[in-house]
């Protein structure tokens, strides 16, 4: 069974920092891509940061230089360090994984989301 569980969201003042965590329970599935997306009020879901199996990382333009994605494979965890937060970073943040099953099938999985609110 695959499950993604986020934590670490909350209320923070502009200019502050937060660290999001995601526990990835993936059975025997292997990871193709893993990362973070967000959806702000009245907005479409957008990419924040993703990392592929080769270690290549893509950041959304609006978070480059402020956010950092990292993994702890020993603990099956994914992190998002968010610094210099702005009010426009307010959103629900989702952990995402694109996984390959034992038979080679590809699946997308999402966490339930964690709310980040940045007050100005």
């Amino acid at each position: 069974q695959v499950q993604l569980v986020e934590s670490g969201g909350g209320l923070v003042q502009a200019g502050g920092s937060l660290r999001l965590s995601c526990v990835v329970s993936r059975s025997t599935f292997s990871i193709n891509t893993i990362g973070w997306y967000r959806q702000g009020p009245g907005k479409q879901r957008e990419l924040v940061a993703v990392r592929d199996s080769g270690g290549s990382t893509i950041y959304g333009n609006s978070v480059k230089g402020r956010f950092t994605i990292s993994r702890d494979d020993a603990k099956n965890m994914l992190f998002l360090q968010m610094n210099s937060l702005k009010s426009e970073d307010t959103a629900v943040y989702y952990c995402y994984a694109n996984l390959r099953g034992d038979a080679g099938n590809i699946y997308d999985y999402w966490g339930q989301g964690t709310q980040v609110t940045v007050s100005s």
Side-chain angles (χ1 to χ4, degrees):
Q1 184 177 358
V2 176
Q3 193 173 21
L4 308 177
V5 180
E6 306 98 332
S7 62
L11 175 64
V12 63
Q13 288 189 333
S17 299
L18 277 176
R19 188 189 194 210
L20 304 184
S21 301
C22 176
V23 178
V24 182
S25 302
R26 56 185 175 92
S27 184
T28 59
F29 287 19
S30 59
I31 295 174
N32 291 325
T33 304
I34 193 166
W36 296 92
Y37 284 73
R38 69 185 183 186
Q39 187 165 14
K43 298 180 181 179
Q44 291 187 329
R45 190 171 295 189
E46 64 174 352
L47 180 147
V48 176
V50 292
R51 175 173 290 182
D52 66 20
S53 57
S56 297
T57 302
I58 298 174
Y59 289 96
N61 288 333
S62 61
V63 306
K64 284 179 182 177
R66 300 188 298 122
F67 291 11
T68 303
I69 188 173
S70 61
R71 288 172 60 174
D72 184 336
D73 291 339
K75 296 181 180 179
N76 285 322
M77 293 190 70
L78 181 72
F79 304 99
L80 183 69
Q81 178 66 42
M82 305 186 294
N83 298 329
S84 302
L85 283 162
K86 306 175 181 179
S87 57
E88 51 262 44
D89 294 319
T90 295
V92 177
Y93 285 71
Y94 297 91
C95 183
Y96 162 80
N98 178 270
L99 306 178
R100 180 185 299 109
D102 294 338
N105 295 329
I106 305 298
Y107 303 94
D108 285 331
Y109 291 95
W110 296 89
Q112 82 287 352
T114 186
Q115 176 70 46
V116 172
T117 302
V118 183
S119 62
S120 55

